[in-house]
Amino acid sequence: MAIARSPQFVLDCPDPRVLAEFYGALLGWPSRVHEPGVWISISSGEHHIHFQAVDPETYRPPQWPGQEVPQQVHLDVDVDDLDEAEAAVLALGATKHEHQPGTTFRVFLDPAGHPFCLCQG
C-alpha cells in the first residue's frame, strides 16, 4: 500500500511566471496563479508542476554536466519527433545544451537554467 500519491515537482526559480509559461506551452497545460510572483502551477488535471520564487540575487542555475551546482532535479518529456520538438522549445525560450550525451534524447535548459530532456518516445 502506498504511503503517498500524486507526485508533483516544485522548481525553484527567479521568476515563476516565466517558467510556468514555458512549461505550460511545452506541455499544453494551463497555469494557475496561487500567489502572484511567488507560486504558480501548471496542471493537466491529473499531473502538476509548481514553480516557486527564490531570490533572484542569490539564485544559481544548475551547472550540468558539472557538479559545482548540481542539477538536483530535471524533467524528461517524450516527443514524437526530436527535430520538430527541438525547434518548438527553442522558440519558447529554451537553450540547447552544448553537451549532448545520447542520440535518443536531447538536453536543453529552460529559461531559468534547469536541464530538461526531450526523449524520443
Side-chain angles (χ1 to χ4, degrees):
M1 176 181 213
I3 294 172
R5 65 185 183 283
S6 187
Q8 302 173 42
F9 287 101
V10 178
L11 295 175
D12 287 350
C13 55
D15 188 339
R17 181 191 56 76
V18 169
L19 279 197
E21 288 176 1
F22 175 82
Y23 283 107
L26 174 69
L27 299 169
W29 294 0
S31 64
R32 177 175 170 220
V33 177
H34 300 276
E35 293 180 57
V38 176
W39 186 275
I40 299 175
S41 301
I42 61 171
S43 175
S44 70
E46 187 176 336
H47 305 286
H48 314 278
I49 303 173
H50 310 283
F51 306 94
Q52 173 177 265
V54 296
D55 183 355
E57 296 296 321
T58 58
Y59 175 76
R60 292 180 57 199
Q63 300 298 312
W64 181 87
Q67 292 299 301
E68 185 176 326
V69 182
Q71 67 178 329
Q72 301 163 5
V73 66
H74 76 275
L75 299 174
D76 286 350
V77 295
D78 291 338
V79 299
D80 292 326
D81 183 288
L82 284 172
D83 293 330
E84 288 179 15
E86 177 176 328
V89 299
L90 292 174
L92 290 175
T95 303
K96 188 173 183 178
H97 199 285
E98 63 185 39
H99 182 68
Q100 296 294 323
T103 58
T104 60
F105 64 95
R106 295 185 189 157
V107 183
F108 296 86
L109 303 175
D110 70 21
H114 300 109
F116 71 96
C117 296
L118 299 178
C119 305
Q120 186 70 50

